[in-house]
Amino acid sequence: MNYIVLGNISSIFAMLFLFLAVAQKDNHKLITIQGVSYFFFALAGLILKGYSGLVQDIIGFIRNLCIATNKNNIYIRNILLVSGIVFGCILNNKGFLGIFPIIGTFQYSIVSSKKSVSNKHLQLSIILNAVLMIIYSFVIQNYVNMITNTITILISIQTLRKDFASACL
């Protein structure tokens, strides 16, 4: 079976978990479910030879696991941030566009690991990461991930709109 097809099949599983995650208003549920999606995205990155993205998905999985189990602290956060940048750059095999997952993960890691982060800021961070990942996914031929991130943006925008509408009432 073609490696592009296999990588995209793995992304289908990741997509299902990610959609479930971004629809959550509870941050703990969002972080936990999203962590599962990172596992399948990492597998897709491995299959599709997108190694800087693979590193970021592994970092994302570990980060979300630490946050969900209340093991997150400043030391773990910094180790993960530095590891994502260093290993992402070392393993980047896609040139300039290979840094997009590194940037997206870095900013999302900063935002999501703050205990007092609002759902609004978490959703905005998800949107920025998704935009960067659409571009990167095109480069590694992860078409399912391109669709996933487009839909993720739409779901996050809808969640933000609902929150805004509720706040105005």
Side-chain angles (χ1 to χ4, degrees):
M1 189 179 277
N2 187 323
Y3 78 94
I4 294 172
V5 173
L6 281 176
N8 279 272
I9 288 171
S10 180
S11 285
I12 289 171
F13 289 105
M15 173 182 67
L16 296 173
F17 285 103
L18 185 60
F19 288 165
L20 182 59
V22 297
Q24 302 300 312
K25 289 194 183 268
D26 178 78
N27 287 357
H28 186 265
K29 286 181 183 177
L30 188 153
I31 294 293
T32 302
I33 297 167
Q34 184 189 43
V36 176
S37 75
Y38 279 119
F39 171 80
F40 289 105
F41 280 129
L43 182 59
L46 179 65
I47 294 167
L48 295 170
K49 301 176 179 87
Y51 302 125
S52 64
L54 165 67
V55 168
Q56 304 317 307
D57 289 326
I58 290 170
I59 296 293
F61 176 80
I62 295 167
R63 178 196 62 237
N64 284 34
L65 180 64
C66 290
I67 294 168
T69 59
N70 294 318
K71 305 261 191 268
N72 189 44
N73 61 46
I74 190 74
Y75 303 109
I76 290 174
R77 185 174 102 181
N78 289 341
I79 289 169
L80 292 175
L81 285 171
V82 171
S83 296
I85 293 168
V86 170
F87 291 113
C89 289
I90 290 171
L91 296 174
N92 177 15
N93 60 338
K94 301 300 177 189
F96 175 72
L97 296 178
I99 66 169
F100 282 22
I102 300 167
I103 294 167
T105 299
F106 178 80
Q107 66 82 27
Y108 184 74
S109 294
I110 296 291
V111 172
S112 67
S113 60
K114 292 182 179 180
K115 290 187 183 212
S116 62
V117 68
S118 68
N119 189 264
K120 173 185 172 184
H121 288 117
L122 196 58
Q123 295 289 350
L124 290 171
S125 180
I126 288 169
I127 291 169
L128 175 58
N129 188 53
V131 168
L132 294 171
M133 288 308 298
I134 288 170
I135 298 166
Y136 178 73
S137 295
F138 179 76
V139 171
I140 65 169
Q141 297 180 308
N142 191 338
Y143 306 112
V144 171
N145 201 21
M146 291 172 64
I147 294 166
T148 300
N149 280 291
T150 301
I151 295 170
T152 297
I153 291 168
L154 296 173
I155 292 170
S156 289
I157 289 170
Q158 184 63 25
T159 301
L160 288 168
R161 290 173 88 187
K162 285 180 186 176
D163 288 345
F164 180 74
S166 295
C168 290
L169 293 178

